[in-house]
Amino acid sequence: MVALAVSKTPQPQAADKAAFEAEVLAGLGASPKHIPAKYFYDGTGSQLFERITEVPEYYPTRTEMRILRDNAADIAKLIAPGAALVEFGSGSSKKARIVLRAAPPLAAYVPVDICGEMVEQEAAEFRPDFPQLRVLPVTADICFPFELPAEAMAAPARVGFFPGSTIGNFEPHEAAAFLRNAAKILIPGATLIIGVDLIKDAEILNAAYNDKDGVTAKFNRNLLTRINRELHGNFKLDTFEHHAFFNRERNRVEMHLASLKRQKVKVAGECFDFRAGETIHTENSYKYSVETLGALARGVGWEPAGVWTDKDQYFSIQAFKLAE
Ligand code: AVI
C-alpha cells in the first residue's frame, strides 16, 4: 500500500527478501533495536492498515477525506487544464478520485506505487469510472528518480499528489529528499498537493495509535509474524506488547514492540538477546505544523501555495509550487 519500500533488480522477490533479511538482522543487532516501518505492509499488514483507517480513534483518513471533499473545487483550481496528475504511493486512489472529479480535463493520471501488481489492478478498477482520462500506472519507488510515461512528459503542466500523511513516516531528512526528488520529476512550474497530519494534543494522538479494539496492536505485532514466516524467526507473539506514544520533543508518534521478559529470539539463524522491557522501535509518525512543513519544503525549493484544514485543525492539505 504505502510506497516506502526500496528495491530495483531483475528478480524483485529474491531481492526484496534479501533486503528484508539484511535490514531486520541489522536492526535487531543495533542498540536500540529497530525495524523499518515499510515492512509492516505484507498482505495482512495492508489489510490491517485498512481496518485502522476505520477505527473511531484513528481520525487522519476520514478527516483528510472530508477536507478534500469540502475543498475539492478550490484545490482543483491549482490544477491547470491538460496537466498530468502524478500520485505518489497511490494505494487505492480513493483520494485522487475526489480531486479528479473536481479537476478540469487532464492529459493523464499517473498512479505510482512500489507494488506493481497493486498499481496495475487499481488502475484497471479506476479506468471505467473515468473513461475520458488516460490512466498510466508506474511501478517505482517514490523516493528515487523515475521516468514518467511519454504522455505525462508531454503534458504542459504536472501536479503531484501525496495524500495520507505518508510523509510523516519519513525521517525529516528523508521527507526533504522525497520533496527534492518530487521536484526533479515534476519539473519547474509544478504544483504539489500533500496530506499532512498536524501536531495536536497528546491525548488524541495516543488514542489514535492505541485503538480500543487493538487493531493497531495487531498491525504492529504482525511484523513479528511476518519475520517468523519469511525469515525463519521464532518470536513468541504473546511475549511482545504494543507500545505507542507521542514523543513531544520530536513531534512524532513512536510505535514499539516491548519484550515482556528476558529472552532470546532466533531470526535467519542469528540469535538476539532481549532484556525485559527492551523494545524494537517499529515506526515513527511525524506530525507537522503548517509552518514546519512549509519550512522543510521551502528549503528544497517548494513555495507554499495553499492550506486547507478541518475545523479542529487535526489534519491539513498543503499545496506548494516549484519556481519556474
Ligand atoms: C501510513 N501512515 C501514514 C500511518 C500513520 O499514521 O503513520 C501508519 C500507521 N501506523 C499506525 N497507525 C497507522
Side-chain angles (χ1 to χ4, degrees), residues 92-115:
S92 68
S93 306
K94 257 193 263 167
K95 295 159 193 167
R97 284 168 188 261
I98 302 174
V99 173
L100 284 165
R101 283 208 182 93
L106 297 185
Y109 166 53
V110 184
V112 185
D113 206 285
I114 188 85
C115 179

Side-chain angles (χ1 to χ4, degrees), residues 108-320:
Y109 166 53
V110 184
V112 185
D113 206 285
I114 188 85
C115 179
E117 225 175 282
M118 194 171 100
V119 78
E120 292 290 344
Q121 192 191 321
E122 291 294 344
E125 284 170 22
F126 192 90
R127 284 188 186 102
D129 296 337
F130 291 85
Q132 318 295 348
L133 185 64
R134 297 276 293 146
V135 180
L136 307 168
V138 168
T139 304
D141 182 339
I142 58 164
C143 295
F144 291 89
F146 60 85
E147 283 209 359
L148 292 176
E151 285 106 315
M153 299 274 261
R158 297 174 194 176
V159 178
F161 185 48
F162 191 36
S165 203
T166 303
I167 196 162
N169 295 128
F170 297 145
E171 290 302 309
H173 73 275
E174 293 169 335
F178 164 78
L179 292 169
R180 215 178 283 120
N181 188 46
K184 272 193 208 132
I185 291 160
L186 297 172
I187 65 166
T191 301
L192 181 59
I193 300 164
I194 315 185
V196 188
D197 198 11
L198 296 174
I199 298 167
K200 61 185 65 63
D201 282 356
E203 231 173 89
I204 294 154
L205 287 166
N206 288 332
Y209 291 80
N210 289 284
D211 63 282
K212 280 203 194 78
D213 288 347
V215 184
T216 310
K218 261 195 201 147
F219 171 74
N220 199 3
R221 270 206 214 93
N222 178 59
L223 188 55
L224 303 184
T225 309
R226 181 177 184 187
I227 293 173
N228 284 351
R229 188 182 61 242
E230 294 184 25
L231 303 178
H232 307 290
N234 68 351
F235 279 104
K236 289 192 193 74
L237 265 66
D238 56 358
T239 65
F240 283 85
E241 198 170 61
H242 166 72
H243 283 188
F245 56 89
F246 182 50
N247 178 334
R248 207 183 284 276
E249 279 80 61
R250 314 200 57 177
N251 282 326
R252 66 190 194 193
V253 173
E254 297 186 9
M255 290 215 310
H256 296 254
L257 287 162
S259 176
L260 293 172
K261 58 176 193 180
R262 199 171 147 209
Q263 59 178 318
K264 288 185 193 299
V265 176
K266 257 194 169 182
V267 176
E270 285 191 28
C271 192
F272 300 95
D273 288 315
F274 283 84
R275 298 183 311 276
E278 185 175 2
T279 75
I280 310 172
H281 190 164
T282 51
E283 186 182 65
N284 285 322
S285 189
Y286 282 87
K287 309 303 168 189
Y288 289 91
S289 65
V290 170
E291 293 71 29
T292 53
L293 190 80
L296 190 79
R298 252 202 207 101
V300 293
W302 290 100
E303 280 304 313
V307 182
W308 297 268
T309 64
D310 53 295
K311 66 172 176 19
D312 298 315
Q313 312 242 314
Y314 279 4
F315 202 92
S316 63
I317 298 290
Q318 304 193 31
F320 298 93

